Amino acid sequence: MHPRVVEVTERLIERSRPTREAYLAMIRAAASVGPARNAAQCANFAHGVAGCGAKDKQRLRLPDAANVAIVTAYNDMLSAHQPYEDYPERLRQALREIGSVGQVAGGVPAMCDGVTQGEPGMELAIASREVIAMSTAVALSHNLFDAALLLGICDKIVPGLLIGALRFGHLPALFVPAGPMPSGLANKDKAAVRQRYAEGKAGRDELLAAEMQAYHSPGTCTFYGTANTNQMLMEVMGLHLPGSSFVNPGTPLRDALTIEAARQVTRLTPQGGCHTPLGELVDERVLVNAVVALHATGGSTNHTLHMPAIAQAAGIQLTWQDMADLSEVVPTLARVYPNGSADINHFHAAGGVALLVRELLDAGLLHDDVHTVMGRGLHRYTQEPFLEDGRLTWREGAAQSLDDSILRPVARPFSAEGGLRLMSGNLGRGVMKVSAVAPEHRVVEAPARIFSDQLELVEAFKAGELERDFVAVVRFQGPRANGMPELHKLTPYLGVLQDRGFKVALVTDGRMSGASGKVPAAIHVCPEAIDGGPLARLRDGDLLRVDGQGGVLKVLVDAAELADRLPAAAPAAGVQGCGRELFGFMRAAFSSAEQGACVFTAGLEVLR
């Protein structure tokens, strides 16, 4: 093992010992009790099975039959989740064929960030992760189940499902993906039309035509944003079947993998003989593996929020420092848009997750000695699924990249380090994704221009006020201020200015998106402005240094002068309408971005 991976893993284990031991004691106590149906009162049991057919009712009275909870995030608004419409019946039938039962235990909400970008609804996004976690807990609270199948793909949905399921960590659980849509308009062409539109050189008809060619059918969007990063992480964490993340919807192989997921989860139950509770599976080594793979692929910055929150749910105290220290030694092996021009289908064809895992294992950057839904050992994930005479089987994946412009070996990486930089200084702490930022653009020292939301910047751009070097400070965008919406609309405008030769950067207590791109952006800055963080004391014209090479984030103003300034007041708008008022209690309870922007952190502290 690489010494840095060992060091980070060991200190994570030691730091987490009290909370992890308390968590494991909790789920082991739940496991010892077992499903309530084994000793349920007659009325409780009858309620739980009333909707089942006669054969399923009879099976659930038998001690050797597994009852599998299906928790689904199906809806038609997300192209990635549209294929899930008929999954419950497929899964139930697959379970019946092996003498077990499946019940849809509950549905969870699933908003599409692509629809809500720049709209008021985006301010519910991080809160939706918490609602999904709670909805998952409600679904599993019936305590009639031996295992769970989790149907979710996109941005906050997979983290929410996993956080909720980990609180029922005595149950085995397996994520069931649905796959990406086939490739449409090339990502670089889509981005070019967006920039032309921002400059007024393309009309709405051209923009709409390009977007609809890019997002054109059921399946996950094909760029490497949060949704596809989720899928890669679930596979590397051993929570998917090997090679299942990026098989397109509606194909025979996809259908076979869905059926096999139902069969495999029953093997992980006590009745199946290979009992593998989710909470035992997701340990410190699995989380380190996830962070390593995140860096190696230049994955979504949103996971600097999600990974600490997921870890907390398993009693593990993962920090940004852990993630940054791993980034220093993990090479970047993939170039997928926005870090390159390829899409996720091209990545999969070039060798995909199987080759990625093989390379990282061989380099000692991943822990092999972990539990997975396929048994012990991450080396199982160097295999790929195939159909042989209609039968699902696995064989070793590619031994070398089939396109080294997309996926490379550790010996010839795109970069010697990963894509994450921890930023710190007198403005607080944040993160920057540098994998998509050219080296010549990673350091910007320029006057600040202050904005209270992204639309103010767009208006300033259209008015011609930004034709110069500057650092855009978009503040009051943190979790406690307005729910931390993604500021994705900034990317085309700042990209245009950078292309015109200006030195530009972004500093914000908000988020960019999983598609954070070529402009240096210090994001998730905490403490956030609404809590009196230094961003609230900045003024137009203050000289800022945003150094993505050295990880420096500071204002070049005398410390005494900065301390004497009164913090700016938060704008009054942004908390009413579009349902936002319903989430006021969550905004007040959110932890800092560094702690995962999580409302559950305080509750989980009781495990200490």
Side-chain angles (χ1 to χ4, degrees):
M1 292 295 298
H2 192 288
R4 179 66 62 81
V5 176
V6 173
E7 174 196 343
V8 171
T9 305
E10 288 179 348
R11 79 184 185 212
L12 182 57
I13 290 171
E14 186 58 35
R15 182 192 309 128
S16 306
R17 195 175 303 279
T19 47
R20 180 63 175 171
E21 288 178 354
Y23 171 79
L24 291 174
M26 178 187 75
I27 66 170
R28 287 167 183 168
S32 69
V33 174
R37 73 175 187 278
N38 293 341
Q41 295 185 34
C42 294
N44 297 63
F45 181 83
H47 272 288
V49 304
C52 296
K55 290 183 179 179
D56 285 351
K57 288 179 180 178
Q58 181 58 32
R59 287 192 185 100
L60 289 175
R61 299 177 68 176
L62 304 175
D64 59 344
N67 190 24
V68 179
I70 301 168
V71 183
T72 177
Y74 161 72
N75 69 41
D76 285 333
M77 284 298 301
L78 282 80
S79 61
H81 289 200
Q82 189 274 344
Y84 282 145
E85 183 171 13
D86 65 356
Y87 271 41
E89 184 51 36
R90 288 171 181 260
L91 295 169
R92 283 192 292 257
Q93 184 57 37
L95 290 164
R96 289 187 190 110
E97 289 171 0
I98 57 172
S100 292
V101 176
Q103 290 183 289
V104 174
V108 304
M111 64 181 286
C112 180
D113 290 13
V115 174
T116 59
Q117 289 285 357
E119 300 294 327
M122 174 51 75
E123 296 180 12
L124 307 184
I126 286 292
S128 78
R129 183 191 69 187
E130 316 302 80
V131 173
I132 291 162
M134 292 189 289
S135 300
T136 303
V138 170
L140 299 177
S141 68
H142 297 98
N143 196 24
L144 298 177
F145 307 112
D146 302 286
L149 290 168
L150 305 171
L151 278 56
I153 291 171
C154 290
D155 296 17
K156 267 59 68 183
I157 301 149
V158 163
L161 286 166
L162 185 50
I163 289 168
L166 280 167
R167 306 314 296 170
F168 290 78
H170 61 289
L171 296 176
L174 195 154
F175 275 82
V176 185
M181 66 179 67
S183 300
L185 182 69
N187 285 302
K188 63 181 179 61
D189 295 333
K190 174 188 68 178
V193 174
R194 285 178 174 177
Q195 286 210 177
R196 290 204 308 276
Y197 180 78
E199 294 179 276
K201 297 178 180 178
R204 180 176 172 79
D205 287 347
E206 182 182 351
L207 177 64
L208 182 59
E211 299 288 359
M212 293 188 74
Q213 289 174 52
Y215 309 117
H216 60 90
S217 73
T220 314
C221 305
T222 60
F223 65 89
Y224 194 49
T226 309
N228 283 319
T229 303
N230 283 339
Q231 300 311 289
M232 183 278 300
L233 289 176
M234 292 303 99
E235 191 163 334
V236 172
M237 291 173 73
L239 297 174
H240 275 177
L241 296 181
S244 64
S245 296
F246 303 123
V247 176
N248 300 122
T251 61
L253 181 56
R254 174 84 277 155
D255 294 344
L257 286 164
T258 300
I259 291 168
E260 183 62 20
R263 294 171 177 165
Q264 183 61 23
V265 81
T266 65
R267 299 179 185 121
L268 307 179
T269 64
Q271 300 95 316
C274 298
H275 191 208
T276 308
L278 176 66
E280 305 270 2
L281 187 160
V282 179
D283 65 9
E284 294 89 345
R285 294 164 301 171
V286 166
L287 288 167
V288 167
N289 283 352
V291 174
V292 167
L294 178 70
H295 294 324
T297 57
S300 168
T301 54
N302 283 325
H303 285 283
T304 62
L305 304 173
H306 298 323
M307 292 308 301
I310 290 167
Q312 277 275 356
I316 298 169
Q317 312 301 320
L318 181 71
T319 69
W320 280 354
Q321 191 65 59
D322 297 329
M323 299 178 78
D325 288 349
L326 289 169
S327 183
E328 290 179 356
V329 300
V330 175
T332 300
L333 303 184
R335 280 276 187 261
V336 187
Y337 185 84
N339 303 337
S341 59
D343 70 22
I344 202 66
N345 292 308
H346 304 142
F347 167 80
H348 185 62
V353 176
L355 182 57
L356 176 77
V357 170
R358 182 189 304 280
E359 285 292 324
L360 293 172
L361 280 174
D362 289 349
L365 291 166
L366 290 176
H367 294 280
D368 185 27
D369 188 23
V370 294
H371 290 291
T372 78
V373 296
M374 294 294 285
R376 193 83 179 185
L378 191 60
H379 61 273
R380 301 287 293 271
Y381 286 75
T382 64
Q383 298 180 330
E384 294 180 343
F386 291 89
L387 289 176
E388 294 182 357
D389 298 324
R391 180 174 173 272
L392 182 65
T393 186
W394 275 267
R395 57 182 184 233
E396 285 300 314
Q400 59 186 23
S401 176
L402 301 178
D403 188 337
D404 65 5
S405 70
I406 299 170
L407 184 58
R408 288 188 179 179
V410 169
R412 293 187 296 105
F414 292 102
S415 171
E417 62 169 337
L420 181 72
R421 186 78 74 245
L422 177 61
M423 306 290 288
S424 61
N426 62 2
L427 288 178
R429 289 161 65 85
V431 296
M432 180 184 290
K433 180 179 175 179
V434 296
S435 55
V437 181
E440 64 269 22
H441 295 310
R442 292 180 183 177
V443 180
V444 176
E445 190 171 298
R449 178 68 190 268
I450 313 297
F451 304 96
S452 292
D453 65 52
Q454 60 183 332
L455 296 181
E456 285 185 8
L457 186 146
V458 172
E459 291 305 313
F461 174 91
K462 291 179 177 177
E465 299 172 7
L466 303 180
E467 301 288 323
R468 55 186 174 85
D469 296 350
F470 73 103
V471 175
V473 177
V474 185
R475 62 192 181 189
F476 299 108
Q477 302 298 306
R480 291 169 61 84
N482 64 352
M484 210 178 192
E486 287 184 346
L487 306 177
H488 187 49
K489 285 190 177 293
L490 298 176
T491 301
Y493 299 98
L494 294 175
V496 166
L497 294 167
Q498 182 175 276
D499 289 349
R500 291 177 182 173
F502 299 112
K503 287 187 172 293
V504 294
L506 172 67
V507 175
T508 181
D509 48 9
R511 297 184 294 136
M512 289 298 281
S513 81
S516 299
K518 63 186 183 180
V519 175
I523 61 177
H524 306 174
V525 175
C526 51
E528 60 177 291
I530 203 168
D531 287 335
L535 293 187
R537 299 177 186 272
L538 293 181
R539 296 175 179 169
D540 281 334
D542 286 344
L543 191 62
L544 301 190
R545 181 170 179 80
V546 182
D547 181 355
Q549 291 287 86
V552 175
L553 177 63
K554 65 181 181 180
V555 56
L556 305 179
V557 171
D558 180 74
E561 178 190 342
L562 191 65
D564 284 344
R565 293 179 181 175
L566 289 175
V575 294
Q576 296 291 320
C578 202
R580 287 174 288 181
E581 59 277 6
L582 299 178
F583 293 83
F585 76 99
M586 278 196 180
R587 289 192 294 273
F590 275 125
S591 65
S592 72
E594 190 161 9
Q595 293 178 298
C598 182
V599 300
F600 307 128
T601 302
L604 298 180
E605 287 294 313
V606 300
L607 291 176
R608 286 191 182 277

